[in-house]
Amino acid sequence: MTPPNTLTLWYQKPAEEWTAALPVGNGRLGAMVFGSVERERIQLNEETLWDGGPRDTTNPKALAALPKVQQLLFEDKNDEATKLAGETMLGIPERIKSYQSLGELVLDFTHDGEVTDYRRELNLDTGIARTTYRCGDATFTREVFATAVDALIVVRIECDRAEQLNIRATMTR
């Protein structure tokens, strides 16, 4: 259960669309957690998956233009500074490449009994996305979080009753 006085987003049903899923990440890795009971879908992202390979988008004119842009700003010539910065300091090309998703981790669960006491939440203090629910007399908890130190997305699954976890995990791209 979430401790009192924490900043938490919570919901009483799974996300049906990507925009309603709960985000977790560490700046390089990310995941969107949908919180479904029978079939959990965790959409995964990794920062290097872009259309094409790595490239240097540095504008070679940027460093030389910086003092002039600063001077124009100090002189309250904002329009001129903006124009010069736009011509000399934006990356080349100005647009980023198309992003590619890493894929989806799909967790299929087999449960006995009706699902009750469903809750899906994102603790904004810890960055942990948690899904909890009951089936019969068993309580199931799933947590998803990112760790920057270990460069991982972690999925932790538990049940308070022995031999109740029945999971099939697959990865799609």
Side-chain angles (χ1 to χ4, degrees):
M1 201 64 174
T2 304
N5 301 321
T6 60
L7 296 174
T8 303
L9 304 173
W10 62 274
Y11 306 88
Q12 294 179 316
K13 64 179 186 173
E16 294 179 13
E17 298 177 10
W18 186 86
T19 54
L22 299 175
V24 298
N26 65 14
R28 188 179 73 77
L29 297 169
M32 295 297 282
V33 182
F34 286 74
S36 297
V37 172
E38 300 291 331
R39 174 168 255 207
E40 173 62 286
R41 177 178 157 209
I42 302 172
Q43 188 264 328
L44 301 168
N45 295 314
E46 197 274 339
E47 75 174 349
T48 64
L49 291 175
W50 295 87
D51 179 27
R55 62 183 175 161
D56 182 7
T57 59
T58 304
N59 189 327
K61 299 176 185 176
L63 185 58
L66 181 60
K68 181 65 176 170
V69 170
Q70 290 172 325
Q71 177 188 348
L72 290 169
L73 289 171
F74 288 133
E75 295 172 358
D76 281 333
K77 297 179 181 177
N78 294 341
D79 290 339
E80 288 179 56
T82 300
K83 184 175 187 257
L84 180 59
E87 293 169 353
T88 60
M89 301 183 87
L90 295 180
I92 300 173
E94 293 177 18
R95 292 184 47 227
I96 60 171
K97 288 187 169 189
S98 298
Y99 179 75
Q100 304 262 326
S101 174
L102 173 62
E104 289 187 357
L105 173 62
V106 178
L107 304 171
D108 289 306
F109 294 87
T110 303
H111 296 301
D112 292 326
E114 180 184 346
V115 174
T116 60
D117 300 329
Y118 177 90
R119 180 177 167 111
R120 177 172 64 102
E121 66 181 48
L122 175 61
N123 183 312
L124 298 176
D125 292 324
T126 64
I128 297 174
R130 178 179 291 118
T131 303
T132 59
Y133 54 91
R134 293 185 57 76
C135 275
D137 63 350
T139 299
F140 295 85
T141 303
R142 294 195 303 259
E143 294 180 332
V144 181
F145 61 92
T147 165
V149 173
D150 298 310
L152 296 171
I153 298 288
V154 177
V155 180
R156 183 173 132 185
I157 304 166
E158 57 185 29
C159 179
D160 66 350
R161 299 278 185 209
E163 299 182 22
Q164 294 293 310
L165 289 176
N166 185 356
I167 307 163
R168 181 174 159 250
T170 56
M171 181 91 175
T172 62
R173 171 90 167 99

